[in-house]
Amino acid sequence: TWTLTDKCESNGVILSDGSYDSTNTLFSTMSACVNDGQYEFKINDSYGDGVCCAYGQGSYEVKFGTEVKASGGEFGSSETKIFGTCGPTTPPPSPSPTTPPPSPSPTTPPPSSAPTSPPSPSPTTAPPTRSPTLNPTPVPTVPPTPLPTQVCSAISGRNACNNTSGRCTWSGSRRNGTCGDSGGGDPCSTCSNFTSRKSCRQCGCTWRRKQCVN
């Protein structure tokens, strides 16, 4: 499978396709109308040996117009190519200068009036005292219980078996082998240890007649 992602305008994935399971086959070309910018092309291979060169001479090309921006074929489980750049953003326009208002003309002060005695201020009542407020006690939170991982014998594919952080080990050839416990303390190694249907199914086991079996 493969994806082409816009890295500038937050458009996300703009093209994708897969999966391809036929050998010695030229698959159709896909295109899209896009602007200048930065893009990420990512190709994935489930067998982990790319598209060249153990079982054929496969390859890929990504073009912008007539110019090849990314190409290849020999890689592992995946390959990522980033090309192009994001253009500068246009700054907001500067505000226009404003003209200050004209200064008022001087005026002749009015004649002074005879002095008068100000009235005595009325007594004021003090505002009431506010009642104190108490902050609520936060409710303690309990972290969620981690879910059990899938049992090794239920995993298919060498890549998926080897991507279990050392819990499982692949035995045999790439296509005809089996996935087994590597002895690293796999909590799903024995289905009969589970007493609930939810935990049993989360480890890839079968719940039958109130019992968890392989």
Side-chain angles (χ1 to χ4, degrees):
T1 62
W2 59 267
T3 57
L4 181 64
T5 305
D6 188 345
K7 304 292 286 183
C8 298
E9 299 179 359
S10 300
N11 287 334
V13 176
I14 57 177
L15 281 177
S16 64
D17 203 2
S19 59
Y20 306 132
D21 54 3
S22 300
T23 60
N24 299 320
T25 302
L26 177 61
F27 293 95
S28 61
T29 301
M30 297 184 66
S31 63
C33 183
V34 298
N35 298 323
D36 288 338
Q38 188 178 71
Y39 298 91
E40 176 189 272
F41 176 80
K42 184 175 183 181
I43 185 170
N44 305 291
D45 179 57
S46 60
Y47 285 114
D49 58 359
V51 295
C52 181
C53 300
Y55 297 97
Q57 301 297 317
S59 64
Y60 69 87
E61 279 188 351
V62 181
K63 292 183 178 181
F64 193 89
T66 59
E67 183 181 359
V68 176
K69 293 292 187 179
S71 63
E74 189 172 2
F75 56 92
S77 298
S78 66
E79 186 173 68
T80 300
K81 297 288 184 69
I82 297 177
F83 54 91
T85 58
C86 297
T89 57
T90 304
S94 302
S96 302
T98 57
T99 304
S103 302
S105 302
T107 58
T108 303
S112 301
S113 59
T116 59
S117 299
S120 300
S122 301
T124 58
T125 304
T129 304
R130 298 177 61 185
S131 301
T133 58
L134 299 178
N135 294 327
T137 303
V139 179
T141 59
V142 179
T145 303
L147 298 176
T149 55
Q150 188 179 16
V151 65
C152 293
S153 59
I155 299 175
S156 61
R158 182 178 64 182
N159 291 339
C161 181
N162 292 334
N163 289 335
T164 56
S165 301
R167 294 189 307 99
C168 308
T169 301
W170 183 263
S171 299
S173 64
R174 184 181 68 178
R175 299 188 179 184
N176 297 321
T178 57
C179 188
D181 183 16
S182 62
D186 181 9
C188 292
S189 59
T190 304
C191 293
S192 59
N193 289 340
F194 298 100
T195 58
S196 70
R197 178 168 53 188
K198 180 179 180 181
S199 299
C200 178
R201 291 182 174 178
Q202 286 172 342
C203 273
C205 302
T206 302
W207 184 261
R208 183 182 302 160
R209 297 180 180 179
K210 298 183 178 181
Q211 290 183 345
C212 189
V213 297
N214 291 335

PDB file of all heavy atoms in Angstrom, residues 156-173:
ATOM      1  N   SER A 156      -0.468 -14.140  12.965  1.00  0.00           N
ATOM      2  CA  SER A 156      -0.055 -14.665  11.671  1.00  0.00           C
ATOM      3  C   SER A 156       0.870 -13.662  11.004  1.00  0.00           C
ATOM      4  O   SER A 156       0.627 -12.467  11.069  1.00  0.00           O
ATOM      5  CB  SER A 156      -1.277 -14.930  10.785  1.00  0.00           C
ATOM      6  OG  SER A 156      -1.986 -13.733  10.559  1.00  0.00           O
ATOM      7  N   GLY A 157       1.928 -14.155  10.340  1.00  0.00           N
ATOM      8  CA  GLY A 157       2.872 -13.274   9.640  1.00  0.00           C
ATOM      9  C   GLY A 157       4.128 -13.043  10.458  1.00  0.00           C
ATOM     10  O   GLY A 157       4.075 -12.790  11.675  1.00  0.00           O
ATOM     11  N   ARG A 158       5.290 -13.182   9.788  1.00  0.00           N
ATOM     12  CA  ARG A 158       6.565 -13.040  10.489  1.00  0.00           C
ATOM     13  C   ARG A 158       6.756 -11.631  11.042  1.00  0.00           C
ATOM     14  O   ARG A 158       7.203 -11.455  12.182  1.00  0.00           O
ATOM     15  CB  ARG A 158       7.711 -13.399   9.551  1.00  0.00           C
ATOM     16  CG  ARG A 158       9.090 -13.330  10.234  1.00  0.00           C
ATOM     17  CD  ARG A 158      10.200 -13.746   9.297  1.00  0.00           C
ATOM     18  NE  ARG A 158      10.302 -12.828   8.165  1.00  0.00           N
ATOM     19  CZ  ARG A 158      11.174 -12.989   7.173  1.00  0.00           C
ATOM     20  NH1 ARG A 158      11.986 -14.040   7.161  1.00  0.00           N
ATOM     21  NH2 ARG A 158      11.216 -12.131   6.184  1.00  0.00           N
ATOM     22  N   ASN A 159       6.366 -10.593  10.253  1.00  0.00           N
ATOM     23  CA  ASN A 159       6.576  -9.218  10.699  1.00  0.00           C
ATOM     24  C   ASN A 159       5.756  -8.915  11.949  1.00  0.00           C
ATOM     25  O   ASN A 159       6.246  -8.313  12.902  1.00  0.00           O
ATOM     26  CB  ASN A 159       6.226  -8.240   9.574  1.00  0.00           C
ATOM     27  CG  ASN A 159       7.217  -8.318   8.433  1.00  0.00           C
ATOM     28  OD1 ASN A 159       8.344  -8.786   8.626  1.00  0.00           O
ATOM     29  ND2 ASN A 159       6.826  -7.870   7.262  1.00  0.00           N
ATOM     30  N   ALA A 160       4.472  -9.304  11.957  1.00  0.00           N
ATOM     31  CA  ALA A 160       3.618  -9.050  13.113  1.00  0.00           C
ATOM     32  C   ALA A 160       4.124  -9.798  14.339  1.00  0.00           C
ATOM     33  O   ALA A 160       4.053  -9.304  15.465  1.00  0.00           O
ATOM     34  CB  ALA A 160       2.174  -9.446  12.792  1.00  0.00           C
ATOM     35  N   CYS A 161       4.629 -11.023  14.154  1.00  0.00           N
ATOM     36  CA  CYS A 161       5.153 -11.811  15.274  1.00  0.00           C
ATOM     37  C   CYS A 161       6.392 -11.173  15.879  1.00  0.00           C
ATOM     38  O   CYS A 161       6.528 -11.088  17.096  1.00  0.00           O
ATOM     39  CB  CYS A 161       5.450 -13.240  14.793  1.00  0.00           C
ATOM     40  SG  CYS A 161       6.080 -14.340  16.100  1.00  0.00           S
ATOM     41  N   ASN A 162       7.289 -10.656  15.015  1.00  0.00           N
ATOM     42  CA  ASN A 162       8.539 -10.075  15.513  1.00  0.00           C
ATOM     43  C   ASN A 162       8.359  -8.675  16.073  1.00  0.00           C
ATOM     44  O   ASN A 162       9.250  -8.157  16.738  1.00  0.00           O
ATOM     45  CB  ASN A 162       9.595 -10.040  14.396  1.00  0.00           C
ATOM     46  CG  ASN A 162      10.051 -11.445  13.994  1.00  0.00           C
ATOM     47  OD1 ASN A 162       9.978 -12.375  14.801  1.00  0.00           O
ATOM     48  ND2 ASN A 162      10.518 -11.601  12.771  1.00  0.00           N
ATOM     49  N   ASN A 163       7.187  -8.021  15.816  1.00  0.00           N
ATOM     50  CA  ASN A 163       6.935  -6.675  16.328  1.00  0.00           C
ATOM     51  C   ASN A 163       6.149  -6.718  17.638  1.00  0.00           C
ATOM     52  O   ASN A 163       5.229  -5.937  17.857  1.00  0.00           O
ATOM     53  CB  ASN A 163       6.162  -5.849  15.285  1.00  0.00           C
ATOM     54  CG  ASN A 163       7.021  -5.484  14.107  1.00  0.00           C
ATOM     55  OD1 ASN A 163       8.248  -5.430  14.237  1.00  0.00           O
ATOM     56  ND2 ASN A 163       6.408  -5.222  12.982  1.00  0.00           N
ATOM     57  N   THR A 164       6.475  -7.638  18.536  1.00  0.00           N
ATOM     58  CA  THR A 164       5.788  -7.766  19.819  1.00  0.00           C
ATOM     59  C   THR A 164       6.720  -7.462  20.978  1.00  0.00           C
ATOM     60  O   THR A 164       6.504  -7.931  22.091  1.00  0.00           O
ATOM     61  CB  THR A 164       5.214  -9.190  19.962  1.00  0.00           C
ATOM     62  OG1 THR A 164       6.294 -10.142  19.791  1.00  0.00           O
ATOM     63  CG2 THR A 164       4.140  -9.455  18.932  1.00  0.00           C
ATOM     64  N   SER A 165       7.791  -6.660  20.727  1.00  0.00           N
ATOM     65  CA  SER A 165       8.745  -6.248  21.773  1.00  0.00           C
ATOM     66  C   SER A 165       9.365  -7.445  22.482  1.00  0.00           C
ATOM     67  O   SER A 165       9.563  -7.460  23.700  1.00  0.00           O
ATOM     68  CB  SER A 165       8.052  -5.322  22.788  1.00  0.00           C
ATOM     69  OG  SER A 165       7.541  -4.185  22.161  1.00  0.00           O
ATOM     70  N   GLY A 166       9.652  -8.500  21.744  1.00  0.00           N
ATOM     71  CA  GLY A 166      10.358  -9.645  22.310  1.00  0.00           C
ATOM     72  C   GLY A 166       9.479 -10.679  22.969  1.00  0.00           C
ATOM     73  O   GLY A 166       9.968 -11.683  23.483  1.00  0.00           O
ATOM     74  N   ARG A 167       8.115 -10.470  22.972  1.00  0.00           N
ATOM     75  CA  ARG A 167       7.250 -11.473  23.607  1.00  0.00           C
ATOM     76  C   ARG A 167       7.177 -12.757  22.797  1.00  0.00           C
ATOM     77  O   ARG A 167       7.084 -13.839  23.356  1.00  0.00           O
ATOM     78  CB  ARG A 167       5.825 -10.925  23.773  1.00  0.00           C
ATOM     79  CG  ARG A 167       5.665  -9.775  24.728  1.00  0.00           C
ATOM     80  CD  ARG A 167       4.192  -9.434  24.997  1.00  0.00           C
ATOM     81  NE  ARG A 167       3.430  -9.222  23.789  1.00  0.00           N
ATOM     82  CZ  ARG A 167       2.644 -10.116  23.228  1.00  0.00           C
ATOM     83  NH1 ARG A 167       2.509 -11.310  23.769  1.00  0.00           N
ATOM     84  NH2 ARG A 167       1.973  -9.843  22.111  1.00  0.00           N
ATOM     85  N   CYS A 168       7.173 -12.612  21.433  1.00  0.00           N
ATOM     86  CA  CYS A 168       6.955 -13.764  20.573  1.00  0.00           C
ATOM     87  C   CYS A 168       8.161 -13.966  19.656  1.00  0.00           C
ATOM     88  O   CYS A 168       8.936 -13.035  19.393  1.00  0.00           O
ATOM     89  CB  CYS A 168       5.684 -13.585  19.743  1.00  0.00           C
ATOM     90  SG  CYS A 168       4.207 -13.155  20.721  1.00  0.00           S
ATOM     91  N   THR A 169       8.286 -15.204  19.146  1.00  0.00           N
ATOM     92  CA  THR A 169       9.393 -15.547  18.252  1.00  0.00           C
ATOM     93  C   THR A 169       8.843 -16.336  17.078  1.00  0.00           C
ATOM     94  O   THR A 169       8.022 -17.246  17.252  1.00  0.00           O
ATOM     95  CB  THR A 169      10.455 -16.387  18.984  1.00  0.00           C
ATOM     96  OG1 THR A 169      10.934 -15.639  20.099  1.00  0.00           O
ATOM     97  CG2 THR A 169      11.623 -16.711  18.061  1.00  0.00           C
ATOM     98  N   TRP A 170       9.293 -15.990  15.851  1.00  0.00           N
ATOM     99  CA  TRP A 170       8.866 -16.678  14.630  1.00  0.00           C
ATOM    100  C   TRP A 170       9.787 -17.863  14.353  1.00  0.00           C
ATOM    101  O   TRP A 170      11.004 -17.706  14.324  1.00  0.00           O
ATOM    102  CB  TRP A 170       8.903 -15.697  13.456  1.00  0.00           C
ATOM    103  CG  TRP A 170       8.407 -16.296  12.168  1.00  0.00           C
ATOM    104  CD1 TRP A 170       9.137 -16.838  11.159  1.00  0.00           C
ATOM    105  CD2 TRP A 170       7.047 -16.416  11.753  1.00  0.00           C
ATOM    106  NE1 TRP A 170       8.325 -17.274  10.160  1.00  0.00           N
ATOM    107  CE2 TRP A 170       7.024 -17.038  10.489  1.00  0.00           C
ATOM    108  CE3 TRP A 170       5.831 -16.076  12.329  1.00  0.00           C
ATOM    109  CZ2 TRP A 170       5.865 -17.296   9.801  1.00  0.00           C
ATOM    110  CZ3 TRP A 170       4.684 -16.339  11.643  1.00  0.00           C
ATOM    111  CH2 TRP A 170       4.700 -16.952  10.387  1.00  0.00           C
ATOM    112  N   SER A 171       9.201 -19.020  14.139  1.00  0.00           N
ATOM    113  CA  SER A 171       9.965 -20.237  13.854  1.00  0.00           C
ATOM    114  C   SER A 171       9.570 -20.755  12.470  1.00  0.00           C
ATOM    115  O   SER A 171       8.389 -20.796  12.124  1.00  0.00           O
ATOM    116  CB  SER A 171       9.670 -21.311  14.905  1.00  0.00           C
ATOM    117  OG  SER A 171      10.035 -20.863  16.185  1.00  0.00           O
ATOM    118  N   GLY A 172      10.587 -21.182  11.680  1.00  0.00           N
ATOM    119  CA  GLY A 172      10.329 -21.724  10.359  1.00  0.00           C
ATOM    120  C   GLY A 172      10.599 -20.709   9.269  1.00  0.00           C
ATOM    121  O   GLY A 172      11.219 -19.666   9.492  1.00  0.00           O
ATOM    122  N   SER A 173      10.153 -20.996   8.034  1.00  0.00           N
ATOM    123  CA  SER A 173      10.383 -20.106   6.902  1.00  0.00           C
ATOM    124  C   SER A 173       9.473 -18.888   7.014  1.00  0.00           C
ATOM    125  O   SER A 173       8.573 -18.836   7.857  1.00  0.00           O
ATOM    126  CB  SER A 173      10.128 -20.832   5.582  1.00  0.00           C
ATOM    127  OG  SER A 173       8.758 -21.198   5.498  1.00  0.00           O
TER     128      SER A 173
END
